[in-house]
């Protein structure tokens, strides 16, 4: 299939890209990052932009780990993120989620900026970005704009990015010794998440010598903070505040994890559950509960400080 005709512009800096967006303010403009959503959509789904601005900006293809935060540029590929020692040691959840995206070809081309801007309801990184309490960094002709991840995803393909704006990167606070996990039920046809759950859990107290925050008998640690987010279940990635609330100030053992996971349906409007040839909405609801438990169990095992660098 051939795409409809379009004008092509290459931008080699952020200001060139913003100038192009401004010049074509009245037109339907798409940004070409990794092209792994845009190009198939133009070839087979009738997406027909008037102008494609090819983002070729080395400065946006970078991981910058600072004292308390890591900034990942919009053009950084999943493969770079998954393999980055800096990401694996400061925000390991994001590296884990990036390693779960599609296949090697997709991971070598697809970018974090494209993944978030496309806002596919089954994309992996939105859940990780939400559970990491990240901030999306936008640029426009007036300067910069920052949007907390919780306010970024508005629906299937809908985000806080406005016309004339560019997603420049994502800022992640370091998660330190927190337990983390991304648990994904892969859609067998597409590789996207039927349901994916990202969790970051911190505890206070004595971990015991075996790293056993998940040890039912240990019982000394309590959850000081829990962030849990899901993708795939409804039209956008969402934080699961009832699950988080159920974990707060309690132990992180299997009983507490099961009880918290059973709260997941309260965070989702059952009528909005996605349904397709592979899974009904009802089944996705059951997957959600099961994968919340899986993510929390893995996070509990890691809460004593095991990271992807171990
Ligand atoms: C076979 C297949 C399997 C896949 N499996 C998965 C999967 O398992 N998990 C998953 O999460 N994804 C999956 N994807 C999607 C893939 O990750 C895409 O790469 C991603 O959704 C888009 O990133 P991109 O860099 O390719 O963006 P592009 O396709 O270049 O752009 C996508 C959209 O984002 C906009 N955009 C891109 N960059 C910016 C920016 N910096 N600022 C503002 N707007 C921007 C574009 O205008 C366009 O509308 C799959 C795709 C395919 C084809």
């Amino acid at each position: 299939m051939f795409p409809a005709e379009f004008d092509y512009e290459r931008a080699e800096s952020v200001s060139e890209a913003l100038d192009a967006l401004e010049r074509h303010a009245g037109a339907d403009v798409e940004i070409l990052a990794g092209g792994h959503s845009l190009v198939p959509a133009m070839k087979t789904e009738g997406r027909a932009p008037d102008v494609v601005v090819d983002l070729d900006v080395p400065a946006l293809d970078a991981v910058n780990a600072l004292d308390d935060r890591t900034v990942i540029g919009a053009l950084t590929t999943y493969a770079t993120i998954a393999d980055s020692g800096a990401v694996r040691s400061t925000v390991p959840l994001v590296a884990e989620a990036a390693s779960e995206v599609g296949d090697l070809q997709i991971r070598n081309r697809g970018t974090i900026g494209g993944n978030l801007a496309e806002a596919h309801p089954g994309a992996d990184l939105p859940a990780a970005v939400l559970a990491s309490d990240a901030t999306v960094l936008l640029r426009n002709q007036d300067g910069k704009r920052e949007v907390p991840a919780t306010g970024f995803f508005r629906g299937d393909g809908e985000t806080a990015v406005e016309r004339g704006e560019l997603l420049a990167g994502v800022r992640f606070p370091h998660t330190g010794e927190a337990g983390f996990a991304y648990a994904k039920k892969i859609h067998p046809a597409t590789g996207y998440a039927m349901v994916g759950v990202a969790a970051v859990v911190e505890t206070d107290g004595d971990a015991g010598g075996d790293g056993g925050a998940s040890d039912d008998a240990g019982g000394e640690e309590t959850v000081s903070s829990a962030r849990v987010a899901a993708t795939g279940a409804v039209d956008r990635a969402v934080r699961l505040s009832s699950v988080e609330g159920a974990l707060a100030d309690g132990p992180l053992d299997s009983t507490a994890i099961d009880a918290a996971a059973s709260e997941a349906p309260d965070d989702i409007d059952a009528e909005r559950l996605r349904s397709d040839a592979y899974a009904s909405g009802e089944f996705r609801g059951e997957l959600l509960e099961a994968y919340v438990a899986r993510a929390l169990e893995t996070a509990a095992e890691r809460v004593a400080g095991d990271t992807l660098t171990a």
Side-chain angles (χ1 to χ4, degrees), residues 97-115:
S99 74
E100 292 278 334
V101 174
D103 55 27
L104 192 58
Q105 229 175 346
I106 306 288
R107 292 196 290 279
N108 280 339
R109 294 289 305 177
T111 67
I112 184 170
N115 193 280

Side-chain angles (χ1 to χ4, degrees), residues 194-195 232-233 270 273-287:
M194 297 230 290
V195 164
L273 281 165
R274 294 169 66 224
S275 174
D276 60 22
Y278 289 94
S280 64
E282 190 184 359
F283 183 54
R284 270 197 170 79
E286 290 175 16
L287 283 177

Side-chain angles (χ1 to χ4, degrees), residues 3-279:
E5 281 194 16
F6 57 91
D7 290 334
Y8 171 89
E9 287 204 30
R10 184 144 163 259
E12 295 184 356
S13 66
V14 169
S15 56
E16 278 184 22
L18 293 174
D19 286 348
L21 293 177
E22 190 174 48
R23 258 198 323 281
H24 300 291
D28 180 359
V29 185
E30 291 277 9
I31 288 167
L32 180 66
H36 272 46
S37 289
L38 181 61
V39 173
M42 288 172 65
K43 285 184 160 187
T44 64
E45 294 164 21
R47 215 190 286 189
D50 304 312
V51 184
V52 170
V53 177
D54 186 354
L55 211 50
D56 185 12
V57 183
L60 297 184
D61 180 6
V63 172
N64 194 5
L66 304 165
D67 285 349
D68 59 352
R69 62 199 184 280
T70 292
V71 179
I72 302 180
L75 286 178
T76 312
T77 64
Y78 313 122
T80 298
I81 294 169
D83 291 345
S84 161
V87 178
R88 287 158 75 91
S89 60
T90 60
V91 277
L93 169 68
V94 180
E96 183 158 279
S99 74
E100 292 278 334
V101 174
D103 55 27
L104 192 58
Q105 229 175 346
I106 306 288
R107 292 196 290 279
N108 280 339
R109 294 289 305 177
T111 67
I112 184 170
N115 193 280
L116 302 184
E118 179 73 10
H120 186 287
D124 295 297
L125 293 192
V129 164
L130 278 169
S132 301
D133 220 8
T135 302
V136 182
L137 310 175
L138 304 174
R139 294 284 302 271
N140 54 42
Q141 290 290 21
D142 297 329
K144 301 177 178 178
R145 198 161 73 89
E146 299 191 355
V147 180
T150 45
F152 185 76
F153 303 102
R154 306 272 166 90
D156 183 348
E158 291 173 28
T159 70
V161 180
E162 290 174 2
R163 277 183 89 78
E165 278 189 324
L166 190 69
L167 199 163
V170 188
R171 186 175 65 230
F172 296 91
H174 292 172
T175 48
E177 298 294 289
F180 67 92
Y182 181 62
K184 172 183 182 181
K185 174 69 176 171
I186 294 175
H187 194 293
T190 64
Y192 281 98
M194 297 230 290
V195 164
V197 177
V200 177
V201 185
E202 287 172 272
T203 56
D204 281 335
D206 178 11
D210 59 355
S214 59
D215 177 357
D216 287 336
E220 298 291 329
E221 292 210 348
T222 56
V223 173
S224 54
S225 117
R227 295 189 299 272
V228 186
T231 188
V234 291
D235 65 342
R236 73 199 80 173
V238 288
R239 282 274 290 267
L240 302 178
S241 53
S242 303
V243 174
E244 295 172 353
L247 290 168
D249 301 321
L252 190 58
D253 57 28
S254 54
T255 307
I257 286 172
D258 287 347
S262 72
E263 298 287 328
D266 286 355
D267 288 318
I268 298 288
D269 179 353
E271 289 179 10
R272 285 175 50 217
L273 281 165
R274 294 169 66 224
S275 174
D276 60 22
Y278 289 94

